[in-house]
Amino acid sequence: MFKARKFILRAPVRTIKIKRKRSSVSLKRQMLLLKIALHQEKDETREMLVIYRQYTKGQASKQQLAKANEQFLDVLKGIGLGVFAVMPFAPITIPVVIKVGQWVGVDILPSSFSDLKTRRR
């Protein structure tokens, strides 16, 4: 009887520890995905600036310029999301805006974040 009672008292503590560990691992995974996406955006933006510099010297091709313009649109998307980040209730408004954008058919997230979402599935 005493052993069973001791086990019953330990079980909730154990499940709480397991849930805490699981949420900690999930948070770390999400932060790593965010780090990867931000690093990819940084690299693409640097490449865009190099292409624009080459364009001013007349050394960039049309394909390179199209790629740079596409990245420039991603930068503008990121700035647009930044506006929502400084608003009150940002943890609520940003997911709502992204979901409404998906319903309407507008891609609000920059390409590196959209790529991560498709890779996770």
Side-chain angles (χ1 to χ4, degrees):
M1 178 80 180
F2 181 68
K3 286 184 180 181
R5 187 175 185 192
K6 193 173 182 181
F7 178 74
I8 290 172
L9 294 176
R10 274 194 204 162
V13 173
R14 188 169 154 220
T15 56
I16 290 171
K17 286 181 182 179
I18 291 171
K19 286 181 182 180
R20 186 179 299 152
K21 181 72 172 176
R22 192 175 293 157
S23 65
S24 172
V25 168
S26 176
L27 179 66
K28 287 179 185 177
R29 185 178 300 132
Q30 293 297 322
M31 291 294 118
L32 284 174
L33 288 174
L34 180 63
K35 179 182 173 184
I36 291 169
L38 290 173
H39 182 72
Q40 181 180 348
E41 278 294 317
K42 181 184 79 170
D43 290 342
E44 289 175 355
T45 303
R46 279 190 179 156
E47 186 179 354
M48 173 193 74
L49 293 173
V50 169
I51 291 171
Y52 281 149
R53 188 177 301 129
Q54 289 175 350
Y55 178 73
T56 59
K57 296 177 183 177
Q59 301 171 349
S61 67
K62 290 190 184 247
Q63 292 86 9
Q64 288 177 327
L65 191 60
K67 185 177 178 181
N69 288 339
E70 191 174 308
Q71 177 58 28
F72 184 67
L73 288 175
D74 279 350
V75 170
L76 292 177
K77 288 178 185 178
I79 292 171
L81 280 177
V83 169
F84 286 109
V86 297
M87 291 176 62
F89 305 110
I92 297 170
T93 57
I94 291 175
V96 168
V97 167
I98 291 171
K99 196 63 163 175
V100 169
Q102 288 174 349
W103 286 340
V104 176
V106 177
D107 188 23
I108 295 176
L109 291 175
S111 63
S112 61
F113 291 95
S114 299
D115 293 343
L116 281 177
K117 192 164 64 171
T118 57
R119 272 191 247 158
R120 276 193 311 194
R121 289 181 185 177

